[in-house]
Amino acid sequence: MTDTMTRIASGLERAFAENGFASPSVGDLRDAAGVSLRTLYKYVPSREDMVYAALEHRHRRYLKLVFGDLPADPEQALGEILDRVASWMETETTRGCLFHAAVASAPHDEKLFDLLKEHKTQVAGLAASATGLAGCEIELSLLLEGLTQTWPLHGDRSVERAKLLAKLLWTAHADTPAK
């Protein structure tokens, strides 16, 4: 991604996260991207492309923040992942997942649904790999998605509860005989 495209995607991400997907005008999006209208359309020729670029940028940032430089100990890694998701929620998106919001704003857009599915699949896969919980991707998705969705309502209490559930997952996984 070029520096210009990164700047555009970053601005678009911020505009959609702060204002939703229906509200910002093209002028608002241009201003958020910090480029001329001509440059904006050169890099993202439609509003749909603007949404996709914003979500792809967000995906990369989220993965870097949540999964970068995790502790080597798998059990510590899971707690750290939960703390990082909470930090993301506190600083980046106090109202839930931007991917889900995008799909809700355009429920018939298959590309948006595919972006959501790819993002969530990658997150669960990386969480399973970092925590040694291979085969528990669905459980990890439930844990991470639950934290993301309850954070706006319960804040830090959501993290405490997610960590309790993580311990149960660890116990259940440890008690499962190897095949």
Side-chain angles (χ1 to χ4, degrees):
M1 190 177 267
T2 67
D3 289 344
T4 301
M5 186 59 202
T6 299
R7 188 173 78 235
I8 290 169
S10 177
L12 294 172
E13 176 198 352
R14 190 173 47 258
F16 289 129
E18 291 173 3
N19 303 302
F21 291 94
S23 179
S25 68
V26 172
D28 295 334
L29 296 172
R30 176 205 61 221
D31 292 346
V35 295
S36 69
L37 192 57
R38 181 178 178 163
T39 300
L40 179 64
Y41 278 120
K42 175 183 174 186
Y43 285 89
V44 282
S46 69
R47 188 176 185 91
E48 290 82 15
D49 290 327
M50 292 177 197
V51 172
Y52 305 148
L55 290 174
E56 289 166 2
H57 181 72
R58 190 168 190 91
H59 171 73
R60 285 188 299 280
R61 284 191 332 104
Y62 183 85
L63 294 184
K64 183 178 180 182
L65 176 90
V66 174
F67 297 105
D69 297 321
L70 286 169
D73 177 78
E75 200 164 352
Q76 286 181 351
L78 184 53
E80 183 66 21
I81 289 167
L82 295 171
D83 286 337
R84 290 178 184 187
V85 169
S87 175
W88 176 270
M89 294 303 298
E90 186 173 18
T91 60
E92 300 288 334
T93 180
T94 58
R95 299 191 190 242
C97 176
L98 194 63
F99 285 84
H100 283 292
V103 170
S105 75
H108 302 294
D109 186 328
E110 288 299 318
K111 184 171 180 179
L112 274 180
F113 183 76
D114 290 343
L115 285 172
L116 166 70
K117 187 175 179 181
E118 177 61 25
H119 173 69
K120 300 302 181 179
T121 299
Q122 270 194 291
V123 167
L126 288 169
S129 177
T131 62
L133 292 169
C136 296
E137 288 81 359
I138 293 173
E139 292 87 344
L140 289 164
S141 286
L142 286 166
L143 189 60
L144 296 169
E145 287 299 301
L147 176 55
T148 300
Q149 296 305 315
T150 58
W151 174 264
L153 304 172
H154 304 288
D156 288 335
R157 291 193 64 221
S158 298
V159 182
E160 295 167 15
R161 300 300 191 218
K163 287 182 176 182
L164 288 173
L165 291 172
K167 286 181 182 181
L168 292 173
L169 178 58
W170 266 102
T171 302
H173 184 72
D175 290 343
T176 303
K179 293 183 179 181

